Amino acid sequence: PVHTLPCYRPDQVLRLARLFSIQPEQVHYLASEALIKAIVGQRSVKSAAEVAQIESALEVSARMHRLAMDLTRPGLYERQVVAQVEALARAEGLDLAFPTIFSVRGEILHNPYHDNLMQAGQMAVHDSGAESSLRYASDITRTIPVSGRFDTRQRELYQIVLRAQKLTIAAIRPQVEFRAIHRLACRTLLEGLRDIGLVRGDLDQALEAGVHTLFFQCGLGHMLGLDVHDMEALGEDFVGYTDQIRRNPAFGWKSLRLARPLEAGFVLTVEPGIYLIDQLIEQFAAEGRFRDFVDYRRLESYRGIGGIRIEDDVLVTPEGCRVLGPAIPREVDEIESR
């Protein structure tokens, strides 16, 4: 038997089509599940040398994020910050692990647009990372107040996200299912939102109803390695799930890239967030969805805040976990003092 992998480069699709004497559109049928699982098993656990590569990338990424914090101010276009942040990596002879996200419209996930003029009172979500010399990825997000200081409501939401990140990182250890850690993040976010009056009622019931998806529509994290979403081209379900742990198709849950039990040597991201998406708020409010749990009237005063995300890269160790790379400011006073 001849085993092949899923192809995403068109030249390889054409090559396999010639070798197997089939049409190019038939090539995807050749992909071998056995070979995919073997490679996922090999690449999921990172060696010490691989971790060192990721940390070398993170050393540059940390400088990129500190530079962005120093540069961000009212009156600049987002692209002016992006240009200097990316130049820092290029000056080190390194490529970017993925296209830079830097936007005051942080509620738009994976926002590639950099042409907004930044204004006082806004926050910029900055998600970027350098690759190492051997192409290992890093992936860091910080949220920066454009004027240098968070206002009261921004600070409230930011502290909720930061607490969720700290608690979920503390819960990481071998054999713990990452979907349980994602669930912890969702419940922690709901708890914080209840404390400021945006959510009410029993938190466990709210979690089961999916109330968190109004604020946190994506997954908590993903595997990291030679790809920023490691081995994504082989099939996300092979990387982040198992034959026993299947993807939950519900809104919010279906976007979780990693759910399987963790193992020592895994490197993954932890990136909780709150995203206040006007269209989603309007849709859910009009449908009466979560009306027993969400104070939509109070939520009106938080609209326009945008998005908040805090992301770090974490190594699962035999005893627990370790946040990789140099420390990058994430506490409110650290960010405001730059």
Side-chain angles (χ1 to χ4, degrees), residues 132-147:
S132 75
S133 59
L134 294 183
R135 305 293 185 184
Y136 281 83
S138 63
D139 187 4
I140 298 292
T141 306
R142 291 295 185 266
T143 302
I144 309 166
V146 171
S147 58

Side-chain angles (χ1 to χ4, degrees), residues 54-228:
I54 293 170
E55 292 208 276
S56 73
L58 282 167
E59 191 279 325
V60 176
S61 297
R63 287 192 277 135
M64 291 164 60
H65 279 267
R66 294 189 194 104
L67 177 62
M69 291 178 187
D70 294 340
L71 294 173
T72 299
R73 64 180 182 273
L76 285 185
Y77 284 95
E78 296 159 339
R79 62 176 180 267
Q80 293 176 276
V81 176
V82 172
Q84 294 196 53
V85 165
E86 293 187 349
L88 192 157
R90 303 294 187 191
E92 296 290 338
L94 302 178
D95 286 328
L96 300 169
F98 54 94
T100 300
I101 299 164
F102 186 91
S103 180
V104 294
R105 296 295 306 277
E107 78 278 13
I108 302 174
L109 300 176
H110 299 114
N111 190 349
Y113 186 79
H114 300 142
D115 284 340
N116 291 306
L117 182 67
M118 295 186 287
Q119 301 175 26
Q122 295 178 320
M123 293 184 296
V125 170
H126 176 209
D127 187 346
S128 71
E131 280 187 340
S132 75
S133 59
L134 294 183
R135 305 293 185 184
Y136 281 83
S138 63
D139 187 4
I140 298 292
T141 306
R142 291 295 185 266
T143 302
I144 309 166
V146 171
S147 58
R149 299 187 67 83
F150 297 97
D151 68 27
T152 300
R153 291 196 163 111
Q154 291 169 348
R155 183 187 295 256
E156 287 175 344
L157 296 178
Y158 186 91
Q159 295 283 31
I160 292 169
V161 174
L162 181 58
R163 180 171 181 266
Q165 198 210 26
K166 290 179 177 179
L167 287 177
T168 50
I169 290 175
I172 290 174
R173 60 182 58 84
Q175 305 310 313
V176 175
E177 293 180 4
F178 196 69
R179 63 181 177 180
I181 298 175
H182 172 77
R183 184 183 180 89
L184 172 63
C186 297
R187 195 184 191 285
T188 303
L189 293 173
L190 287 174
E191 183 178 358
L193 292 166
R194 184 185 64 181
D195 291 344
I196 63 173
L198 297 182
V199 169
R200 57 187 173 232
D202 183 271
L203 291 183
D204 292 322
Q205 292 179 8
L207 184 61
E208 290 305 316
V211 174
H212 62 281
T213 64
L214 177 59
F215 306 95
F216 183 41
Q217 302 83 21
C218 51
L220 179 64
H222 52 80
M223 297 278 254
L224 182 76
L226 281 169
D227 299 314
V228 69

Side-chain angles (χ1 to χ4, degrees), residues 6-7 22 24-31:
C7 289
I22 59 177
E25 57 266 25
Q26 296 175 303
V27 166
H28 71 277
Y29 293 116
L30 297 173

Side-chain angles (χ1 to χ4, degrees), residues 29-45:
Y29 293 116
L30 297 173
S32 162
E33 184 172 319
L35 182 55
I36 291 170
K37 288 182 174 179
I39 290 175
V40 169
Q42 180 190 53
R43 285 179 54 181
S44 292
V45 175

